[in-house]
Amino acid sequence: MKLEEIQNPSFLKQLKATQFNSLIKSIKDKIMLDDSLSAENKRNYTQNVELVTALETVFNETTDDILFSSTQQEYIRKILIGTLPVNNYSNNLSLALGLANSQDFKSDNNIIINIDNNDLYNYDAISSLNLLGQSKHKIILVFIDHNLENMIHLSKNTLTKLRSSNSYLELKDNLNTSLGNTNSGKVILNNIRSFRDTVKKGILSSSIFTEMGWDYLGPIKADEFNSLKKAFIMAKKNPGSLVIHVVINKMKPKNNKHLIQINEKQPEDDIHSLCDWQEIVDHELTSLSKDNESLFVLSPIDKAAKPFKEFNANFPQRCFINKMNLNQTLNFALGIAVKGLHPYINVSGSQIATVYQFLKEQFCYRDLPVIIGINNPGISDYPPTQQAIDDISIFNLLPNVVIATPNNPQELKELLKSAVDYSHPFIIRIPIGQTIEIVVEPSNIAIGTWEFVYTNNKHNYLITYGPDAAKFTNKAINNKLPINIINARFNKPLDENMLLKIAHKDSQIYIYQPALIAGGLGSLIMEFYQRNNLHPSIKIYGIDTHYLAADTIVDNRKKERLDTNSLFNNIEADLMKK
């Protein structure tokens, strides 16, 4: 089935059972062909296809509230439905409490919450879960378990099979329907429930959900569409709240050759390797820590966080991954920084508001050594309200901070080395996706220096940063475009010497920033020239103040006319006018 055949949200309700396999395959094919997603993201996205498809098939997108737990699920929903739900991933349980209580004032509807293991690692989540379980409102909780038996231990496999079997679903459905229609039947049904509760407390005493008043069903494998669909139908008919336990089996990625063990020599014929940017961070921090005992790696609880496997294998006592929430992680880092140690904090672009406030009040105010590694900065696959297109604009306001974006893996290593040798706050914006690493020993980069990556004898200049600098260089060479390309790897401080050098009377400067224009690189450059009474012609390509659509990185760049082809067509047309 082609995705183009989906005409409206009710389309799923009209599909025959045999058509769903084809639909699911088409969605997975679309994900695998999306070049803006890394290999790991593609795995994570495809693992959610059956689950989201089953949810959207059973429930009504206009009357029911489905709270998703990840951007992966939202992405799939948008393919199927074309709209976005109301979501606040970090506080879905609290949001559900508000939605549930609104049922007192509005017509009843189904509230479906998706959560996973990482959502239950703090007091607020457990408290909200308990309140939902004890409330009179009907809630359907889909617990997505990435590590079976880590959070919920079922001591009897036979009970698990019974609870997810067709006969059990039919039996329970029939009991609720037939017995619930008469007074005598209701008495029998209550006695059955009382007996069930007694059995449940005896056999499932270790389940966090059953102890909080939830009915339980599962576990069900995330790739079993028919089982998921039947479970959601049962949950919809069930009069009370219910937990559906969905298990995602992790697929182990292939070994990456570039992850060198310490003291192990790299073969001379293996100097290139396809890898994730975050894996390069892990490997380089591990290498730097051989001679630096003050370096710590911290990452708050985050379902999208990378594991830092290599660093943890070599320096487990200096690695704290997925053990604390963001505020706890930042305070932990502060505690070791004031004692002269050097924390590297791994955060996502969706967390920059909290990080900014803490940097402002603590690290930047005290001018302490800290490295903040921001994953998915700028245009990303996050939902509209969590896009970090304003990260440079926000962090530029802070004193005592350096902000840098690498344009290739080697430069990322060199920036990490420079950051470790720097005793002040340092932010590195980690690009998205996969790249090709060249294994070369890194050297330090002087703080605040830029470089020409392509030169021409004309006074036309394109200033940009990140992997785009390399893409634009190839495009300029292939199209023989008369322009100089500058890699502005430091977003703060600016390379003032280079800016003065290119400020000719006839200079035409183009600034490409796949981020918010206001307060970004272009704004800082224009302010610099104004302070120095210089007035070169400047054009800025970036994002105006608005929310991005909930779409892929590639599609959003095209919509904002920030893709490579759009940029070069604009520049080429502008140069022809001169």
Side-chain angles (χ1 to χ4, degrees):
M1 171 177 289
K2 296 180 179 180
L3 296 178
E4 293 76 15
E5 296 178 29
I6 301 178
Q7 300 173 353
N8 52 61
S10 61
F11 180 80
L12 290 174
K13 310 291 190 294
Q14 302 165 11
L15 291 182
K16 297 178 181 178
T18 54
Q19 293 177 293
F20 280 104
N21 287 338
S22 177
L23 174 63
I24 289 168
K25 182 181 183 302
S26 295
I27 296 172
K28 290 185 177 182
D29 288 344
K30 177 179 174 63
I31 292 169
M32 296 307 293
L33 292 172
D34 190 341
D35 293 334
S36 67
L37 299 176
S38 68
E40 183 173 352
N41 274 336
K42 288 177 180 179
R43 286 194 298 271
N44 292 336
Y45 277 56
T46 54
Q47 287 174 339
N48 283 273
V49 172
E50 286 88 353
L51 171 64
V52 176
T53 305
L55 282 169
E56 296 297 343
T57 301
V58 172
F59 296 100
N60 190 317
E61 70 284 343
T62 58
T63 59
D64 296 328
D65 295 303
I66 305 177
L67 305 182
F68 289 114
S69 64
S70 66
T71 56
Q72 293 95 325
Q73 293 175 352
E74 275 199 346
Y75 177 94
I76 298 162
R77 176 191 165 113
K78 192 169 188 299
I79 293 174
L80 291 168
I81 305 300
T83 59
L84 287 172
V86 176
N87 264 1
N88 184 10
Y89 301 128
S90 59
N91 293 294
N92 266 356
L93 291 166
S94 300
L95 178 58
L97 272 173
L99 292 171
N101 280 279
S102 71
Q103 290 181 342
D104 292 338
F105 310 100
K106 298 181 180 181
S107 59
D108 288 352
N109 64 309
N110 291 294
I111 299 174
I112 305 96
I113 320 168
N114 288 270
I115 65 171
D116 69 12
N117 306 69
N118 293 328
D119 293 318
L120 298 179
Y121 277 96
N122 64 76
Y123 172 79
D124 291 340
I126 297 299
S127 176
S128 297
L129 185 67
N130 186 46
L131 289 171
L132 285 168
Q134 302 300 328
S135 73
K136 62 181 180 180
H137 306 288
K138 175 184 173 180
I139 304 289
I140 299 168
L141 182 69
V142 181
F143 176 65
I144 303 163
D145 191 351
H146 297 272
N147 185 13
L148 181 60
E149 297 182 351
N150 180 42
M151 292 296 296
I152 301 178
H153 175 69
L154 300 179
S155 56
K156 298 290 184 181
N157 289 331
T158 51
L159 181 64
T160 296
K161 293 177 182 177
L162 170 65
R163 281 182 166 271
S164 58
S165 66
N166 289 336
S167 57
Y168 173 78
L169 299 183
E170 293 171 3
L171 172 62
K172 186 165 184 178
D173 186 33
N174 291 337
L175 281 173
N176 283 329
T177 302
S178 58
L179 295 181
N181 290 332
T182 64
N183 289 332
S184 58
K186 289 178 182 177
V187 173
I188 298 172
L189 187 59
N190 286 335
N191 288 335
I192 292 174
R193 287 174 177 163
S194 178
F195 173 75
R196 173 207 62 192
D197 290 341
T198 303
V199 174
K200 185 165 60 179
K201 288 178 181 178
I203 298 178
L204 300 178
S205 59
S206 61
S207 169
I208 188 174
F209 298 116
T210 54
E211 291 178 3
M212 292 184 180
W214 294 81
D215 276 349
Y216 175 87
L217 176 66
I220 302 170
K221 291 182 179 180
D223 59 356
E224 294 181 354
F225 172 78
N226 290 329
S227 297
L228 289 167
K229 183 180 176 183
K230 289 175 183 177
F232 293 147
I233 291 172
M234 174 187 167
K236 190 173 182 178
K237 295 179 179 180
N238 190 54
S241 293
L242 180 70
V243 171
I244 299 175
H245 183 184
V246 178
V247 178
I248 289 182
N249 293 322
K250 288 188 176 181
M251 293 186 291
K252 295 183 179 180
K254 296 179 181 179
N255 291 330
N256 290 287
K257 295 180 180 179
H258 84 284
L259 292 180
I260 317 164
Q261 293 298 317
I262 292 180
N263 298 324
E264 182 177 312
K265 188 176 180 181
Q266 179 77 350
E268 292 181 1
D269 60 347
D270 188 24
I271 62 171
H272 294 79
S273 178
L274 183 66
C275 57
D276 189 279
W277 287 89
Q278 189 63 38
E279 292 171 351
I280 298 172
V281 174
D282 182 15
H283 173 63
E284 189 58 27
L285 290 175
T286 304
S287 297
L288 292 169
S289 292
K290 288 191 297 180
D291 302 316
N292 188 335
E293 295 183 354
S294 68
L295 189 58
F296 280 65
V297 171
L298 315 173
S299 185
I301 294 168
D302 182 354
K303 54 189 72 103
K306 304 296 181 180
F308 286 88
K309 291 181 179 178
E310 188 179 359
F311 191 95
N312 188 50
N314 287 279
F315 307 104
Q317 294 187 354
R318 288 192 270 149
C319 189
F320 296 83
I321 307 298
N322 277 332
K323 295 183 178 179
M324 299 171 281
N325 63 33
L326 180 57
N327 280 316
Q328 291 170 326
T329 300
L330 291 169
N331 278 287
F332 182 96
L334 176 64
I336 63 177
V338 296
K339 294 298 183 181
L341 302 174
H342 206 152
Y344 176 95
I345 309 174
N346 178 66
V347 300
S348 67
S350 61
Q351 298 170 320
I352 61 172
T354 302
V355 174
Y356 166 81
Q357 194 64 31
F358 202 90
L359 284 175
K360 176 184 176 182
E361 296 176 358
Q362 299 295 343
F363 284 108
C364 290
Y365 177 71
R366 299 168 182 261
D367 198 15
L368 292 170
V370 64
I371 307 169
I372 306 290
I374 301 179
N375 296 291
N376 293 353
I379 300 175
S380 68
D381 55 0
Y382 288 133
T385 58
Q386 296 183 35
Q387 293 268 356
I389 59 173
D390 55 352
D391 65 322
I392 293 176
S393 303
I394 290 174
F395 291 120
N396 267 329
L397 300 173
L398 295 172
N400 304 325
V401 68
V402 170
I403 307 171
T405 309
N407 104 345
N408 58 50
Q410 182 63 21
E411 192 167 79
L412 172 57
K413 293 179 179 182
E414 293 171 346
L415 287 172
L416 284 167
K417 181 173 173 56
S418 300
V420 170
D421 293 339
Y422 193 67
S423 58
H424 311 278
F426 199 117
I427 295 172
I428 301 180
R429 305 172 72 249
I430 312 298
I432 302 169
Q434 290 190 312
T435 184
I436 297 176
E437 180 186 18
I438 300 176
V439 182
V440 180
E441 188 68 23
S443 58
N444 280 51
I445 300 177
I447 302 297
T449 58
W450 298 350
E451 65 173 351
F452 282 97
V453 291
Y454 181 67
T455 57
N456 186 278
N457 58 6
K458 301 292 185 180
H459 290 167
N460 304 314
Y461 303 92
L462 171 61
I463 302 176
T464 187
Y465 52 81
D468 292 305
K471 294 178 185 177
F472 296 154
T473 299
N474 293 332
K475 189 82 171 176
I477 293 172
N478 293 334
N479 292 272
K480 297 180 180 179
L481 200 65
I483 196 167
N484 300 276
I485 300 179
I486 297 171
N487 172 28
R489 54 197 172 196
F490 287 97
N491 308 114
K492 181 182 180 180
L494 303 178
D495 189 336
E496 297 184 353
N497 290 332
M498 184 171 287
L499 288 173
L500 292 173
K501 181 179 178 180
I502 67 174
H504 308 285
K505 289 183 179 180
D506 60 341
S507 289
Q508 175 60 60
I509 298 175
Y510 303 97
I511 301 169
Y512 173 85
Q513 52 186 77
L516 197 66
I517 292 176
L521 179 64
S523 297
L524 294 177
I525 290 174
M526 293 186 72
E527 289 173 11
F528 169 78
Y529 281 134
Q530 188 174 28
R531 288 196 306 270
N532 288 273
N533 198 28
L534 296 170
H535 307 285
S537 176
I538 297 176
K539 289 190 176 182
I540 302 175
Y541 298 93
I543 301 171
D544 292 324
T545 307
H546 64 265
Y547 292 108
L548 296 184
D551 220 324
T552 65
I553 297 171
V554 172
D555 288 342
N556 263 328
R557 285 197 173 214
K558 288 180 180 178
K559 290 177 182 177
E560 300 294 328
R561 297 189 62 78
L562 293 175
D563 57 294
T564 306
N565 289 333
S566 295
L567 175 71
F568 268 86
N569 289 339
N570 287 332
I571 292 178
E572 196 168 31
D574 189 64
L575 291 176
M576 289 179 65
K577 296 177 184 177
K578 298 184 181 299

